[in-house]
Structures are given as structure tokens and as C-alpha cells.
Amino acid sequence: MNAQSFIDAGLHYTPHSFTVPLDYQDASKGTIEVFARAVCLVGDEESTKPWLVYFQGGPGFPSPRQNGNNGWVKRALQEYRVLLLDQRGTGNSSMVNHQTLAHFTPQQQAEYLSHFRADNIVRDAEYIREQFGVEKWAILGQSFGGFCSLTYLSLFPDSLLQSWFKFFYLYEQTKNSNSICSNSRVRNTKFPGVISLRNDFPTWAIPKGGFFRDVVSTLRKLVNIPWAVSGRR
């Protein structure tokens, strides 16, 4: 079921809602709804530009609501049509919260939640790809979304044109230390191990580091798909 398309700030938005299995291995467990918003430049509605599917970080967060032609979406729309996916359990997709779980026993809750992991998020995306009639598309994973991208590469590599990963390592310079995030004082107080981890971190994990480069090199050998990885120190 599709809601009404609309135009804002030079972008054309089309909301989509899909009914998908809760468990792709057992249809008897029922269905849930998955929401996605297609975004393209006005005039590109019938374009042959490839699709780029965005996997949001989290887990547990919906895809961001685009507010104008800006940010990474502005750059992506030069080459792609973008699909902003509300991963199952988030946003306008079938929600997971206290109210929806309250009638389950703890064991039933655990079993139900096991269907909201990266593997089924990816299967939802594959279902949507097939509904769109798209042979292959590109994906972009941010933070936890990167794990969804890796899962996609593992399960359905033949469905992908490209896979993009986006990681952020944020530092804040203070008089006493370099902090790993803006709320560093709280984090360093509650989790003192972060300080020792932070001291070791730049030597192996930043994009130009040898460890990171070796991981990407190995993945490129395993899967013959164009890769791009960005990081910020």
C-alpha cells in the first residue's frame, strides 16, 4: 500500500508500506508492516538512476526524515534514487515497545524479538527490491546499518551493485584528555576502561590504519562488489 506522494524543496517523496512475514522461515507466525520512503529529485520520478537503500544506525532507530535537499542525500541524489527504510520495529514500521510486548511471556518476548535482527531487516529489503522489480541496487550502512550491509553481502551479494559503509569515530579535545565522544566526562566516569581503549584506538581502527585496511582488503577479496568506506577521526 502506497500513501500519497508529495514534493518539498525540490525533492519528490513517495511513502511505501509493505506487508512482510514476521519469520521468513515460518509463514504461520504472521506478518508485520515495513515502511520505506522513496526520495528522488523532482523530474527523476521515472529516471533510470539506480536505487540506493539506506540502513540507519542504532539499532532501534528509524530512518531519518529528510528536511530539504541537503546533507549526504543531496550528494547521493546526483547519482541515485534513495530509499529510506524504517527497519522492522522502528518508525512507521510495525513497532516494538513495551505495549506491543506486554502480552507475551518473557520467553515469548525473546522469541518474538529474535525476528528483528539484521538478517530479517535485510530480507525485508530483498522483499522490497523484488516488489520494485529492481535487479540490483546499492546500499549504504551507517553504524549498526553497516552490520546490516555486511549481512546483505553475506546473504544476497548478487542483488547488490555497490556497498557503502559509513563509520564515525568522534573525538573532543579537552585540557586533560582526548575524549571519545562529546559526553566524555560521564562516559569516562562510568566506564573508565574507555580511556585505555581510547589510547589504543587510533593505532588500529582509523581508516588509514593497517588493521582497518586489512579488513577491507579481505572483504573485497571475498565479495566481488565495489566497496567504499568512510571514517572520521
Side-chain angles (χ1 to χ4, degrees):
M1 179 183 69
N2 297 342
Q4 185 66 39
S5 298
F6 62 94
I7 292 173
D8 180 61
L11 302 184
H12 186 276
Y13 297 86
T14 304
H16 297 272
S17 184
F18 304 89
T19 301
V20 302
L22 172 67
D23 183 346
Y24 281 88
Q25 277 68 53
D26 186 353
S28 69
K29 293 183 179 179
T31 61
I32 59 173
E33 296 297 308
V34 170
F35 176 84
R37 181 174 283 111
V39 186
C40 67
L41 296 173
V42 171
D44 276 353
E45 294 85 353
E46 304 299 326
S47 170
T48 58
K49 286 180 179 178
W51 284 98
L52 174 68
V53 183
Y54 178 70
F55 292 104
Q56 169 70 340
F61 297 126
S63 194
R65 274 38 183 171
Q66 187 64 18
N67 183 20
N69 190 11
N70 51 50
W72 68 266
V73 170
K74 179 178 181 179
R75 174 63 183 88
L77 290 177
Q78 295 176 22
E79 300 178 38
Y80 300 95
R81 292 169 287 173
V82 173
L83 188 69
L84 300 174
L85 176 67
D86 279 358
Q87 299 164 15
R88 54 169 56 200
T90 73
N92 288 341
S93 296
S94 293
M95 287 293 294
V96 172
N97 55 32
H98 172 73
Q99 288 76 17
T100 61
L101 296 174
H103 64 287
F104 291 137
T105 67
Q107 292 77 14
Q108 290 172 332
Q109 290 177 359
E111 196 279 333
Y112 184 74
L113 291 173
S114 71
H115 302 299
F116 289 79
R117 298 180 298 204
D119 56 342
N120 279 330
I121 292 171
V122 166
R123 291 186 177 96
D124 292 340
E126 266 295 280
Y127 178 90
I128 295 171
R129 183 188 63 80
E130 293 173 356
Q131 293 297 304
F132 276 15
V134 174
E135 182 180 0
K136 294 187 177 186
W137 58 13
I139 57 176
L140 167 62
Q142 189 271 327
S143 190
F144 168 74
F147 291 100
C148 294
S149 295
L150 286 174
T151 303
Y152 214 136
L153 287 163
S154 299
L155 296 179
F156 306 106
D158 293 337
S159 299
L160 300 178
L161 292 169
Q162 295 170 310
S163 180
W164 302 79
F165 296 83
K166 190 174 183 65
F167 301 95
F168 281 90
Y169 303 116
L170 302 180
Y171 286 81
E172 179 187 25
Q173 183 72 42
T174 66
K175 287 185 177 181
N176 298 321
S177 68
N178 293 321
S179 60
I180 201 167
C181 65
S182 58
N183 60 342
S184 59
R185 287 185 296 276
V186 174
R187 195 174 287 249
N188 287 346
T189 299
K190 286 186 172 292
F191 307 102
V194 168
I195 299 174
S196 60
L197 173 63
R198 183 196 64 227
N199 292 335
D200 294 336
F201 185 77
T203 65
W204 59 267
I206 60 174
K208 64 182 179 181
F211 175 86
F212 193 94
R213 186 172 55 248
D214 291 345
V215 169
V216 173
S217 177
T218 300
L219 289 171
R220 280 179 173 149
K221 293 176 183 177
L222 292 174
V223 183
N224 187 26
I225 293 174
W227 290 60
V229 183
S230 71
R232 182 175 300 169
R233 183 182 174 198

